[in-house]
């Protein structure tokens, strides 16, 4: 998933970025509110982490403007001050959750995963589509209970498609979400990765979990057809 971090403390910003990248996310970084609002407008983030105490445009103002634009992405606020008023103001402005500094990165990652899942309509940390199960906690994938080894990029690709199961996802959307730098973007490589993912998930071409819609993109089947329809 693509996550925008708006935090003015350089050390914390870099630590957050490193932790989120290790967890398989793509990150955009902003050091103040104005930059943050720009990044959120320019790049299609799936979630924003917003420090409330920012120079220039405040975190609250960033959140209000994002919501005024009709953007519904989950927003997690960070606050240095353990004052309930700040949390209430942040939630009232449109944030979905908060963390008080200092916090454990494990807690931040768990909240980020939960927010992303819930925004996609899943309550369970294990995403399922037919025989495919993707555990967002351990970042492991299985098909009919058999473990499937995926690279970090393949995992991110599958997670994205599963969070949007049943919807058409274009190649350009996938390149926007999965690549951090413009220079890496190449929609032809997405085709290669989708091909590999298909072979790993469905080596015998049994249930064809990922459909190609010519000129439009890909769609992951929310419910794969039963292997033997006669017994269903
Ligand atoms: Ca700050």
């Amino acid at each position: 998933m693509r996550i925008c971090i708006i935090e003015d403390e350089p050390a914390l910003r870099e630590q957050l970025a490193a932790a989120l990248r290790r967890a398989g996310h793509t990150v955009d970084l902003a050091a103040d509110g104005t930059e943050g609002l720009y990044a959120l407008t320019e790049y299609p983030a799936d979630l924003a982490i917003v420090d409330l105490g920012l120079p220039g445009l405040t975190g609250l103002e960033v959140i209000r403007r994002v919501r005024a634009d009709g953007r519904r992405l989950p927003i997690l606020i960070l606050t240095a001050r353990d004052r309930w008023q700040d949390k209430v103001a942040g939630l009232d402005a449109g944030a979905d959750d908060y963390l008080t500094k200092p916090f454990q990165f494990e807690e931040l990652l768990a909240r980020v995963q939960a927010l992303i899942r819930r925004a996609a309509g899943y309550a369970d940390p294990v995403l399922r589509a037919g025989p495919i199960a993707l555990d967002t906690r351990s970042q492991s994938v299985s098909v009919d209970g058999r473990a499937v080894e995926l690279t970090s990029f393949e995992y991110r690709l599958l997670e994205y498609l599963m969070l949007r199961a049943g919807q058409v996802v274009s190649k350009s959307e996938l390149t926007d979400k999965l690549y951090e730098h413009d220079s890496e973007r190449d929609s032809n490589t997405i085709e290669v990765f989708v091909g590999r993912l298909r072979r790993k998930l469905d080596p015998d071409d049994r249930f064809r979990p990922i459909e190609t819609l010519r000129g439009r993109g890909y769609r992951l089947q929310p419910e794969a057809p039963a292997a033997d329809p006669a017994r269903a």
Side-chain angles (χ1 to χ4, degrees):
M1 298 289 120
R2 188 167 194 128
I3 298 178
C4 182
I5 303 169
I6 313 176
E7 166 61 65
D8 59 316
E9 288 170 44
L12 179 58
R13 189 171 61 243
E14 290 307 323
Q15 286 164 358
L16 282 168
L20 289 163
R21 284 187 181 120
R22 273 199 303 278
H25 299 290
T26 300
V27 298
D28 298 308
L29 299 176
D32 62 46
T34 312
E35 249 183 54
L37 195 60
Y38 174 80
L40 282 171
T41 313
E42 201 66 10
Y43 307 108
D46 296 294
L47 179 140
I49 297 175
V50 182
D51 179 30
L52 284 190
L54 290 171
L57 211 54
T58 67
L60 281 181
E61 196 52 38
V62 171
I63 296 166
R64 287 194 191 104
R65 293 199 194 180
V66 167
R67 293 303 188 225
D69 276 352
R71 307 273 312 272
R72 295 175 61 187
L73 80 168
I75 299 177
L76 173 66
I77 52 175
L78 305 178
T79 166
R81 297 149 294 186
D82 195 12
R83 287 175 46 202
W84 63 268
Q85 289 94 336
D86 292 337
K87 296 167 192 162
V88 170
L91 295 170
D92 276 349
D96 299 280
D97 200 359
Y98 63 84
L99 268 178
T100 304
K101 296 179 194 174
F103 50 81
Q104 296 295 321
F105 285 104
E106 287 78 3
E107 182 177 5
L108 176 108
L109 292 174
R111 284 177 191 261
V112 162
Q113 291 297 354
L115 286 168
I116 287 172
R117 259 188 351 248
R118 273 191 253 126
Y122 289 91
D124 194 320
V126 181
L127 312 183
R128 290 174 203 281
I132 308 171
L134 180 147
D135 191 327
T136 57
R137 296 160 302 186
S138 57
Q139 299 201 355
S140 57
V141 173
S142 63
V143 174
D144 282 329
R146 166 185 67 90
V148 177
E149 288 300 320
L150 298 182
T151 63
S152 141
F153 192 92
E154 290 161 354
Y155 174 87
R156 284 157 57 198
L157 176 62
L158 178 62
E159 183 187 41
Y160 194 83
L161 291 172
M162 287 186 81
L163 286 169
R164 278 158 184 72
Q167 300 171 27
V168 181
V169 180
S170 70
K171 278 194 235 170
S172 64
E173 179 176 348
L174 288 170
T175 49
D176 279 350
K177 297 293 184 175
L178 302 174
Y179 292 111
E180 221 161 275
H181 305 291
D182 290 336
S183 58
E184 295 173 344
R185 291 182 195 184
D186 176 357
S187 60
N188 293 322
T189 61
I190 290 288
E191 275 177 41
V192 175
F193 285 115
V194 169
R196 266 194 227 163
L197 194 53
R198 281 188 174 125
R199 285 194 294 280
K200 286 190 178 180
L201 296 172
D202 184 28
D204 307 320
D205 232 4
R206 200 166 48 88
F207 63 100
R208 302 187 186 185
I210 306 168
E211 264 181 284
T212 300
L213 294 106
R214 258 189 102 167
R216 292 169 62 207
Y218 302 102
R219 180 166 54 202
L220 188 112
Q221 311 264 22
E223 290 299 332
D228 181 359
R231 282 167 52 203

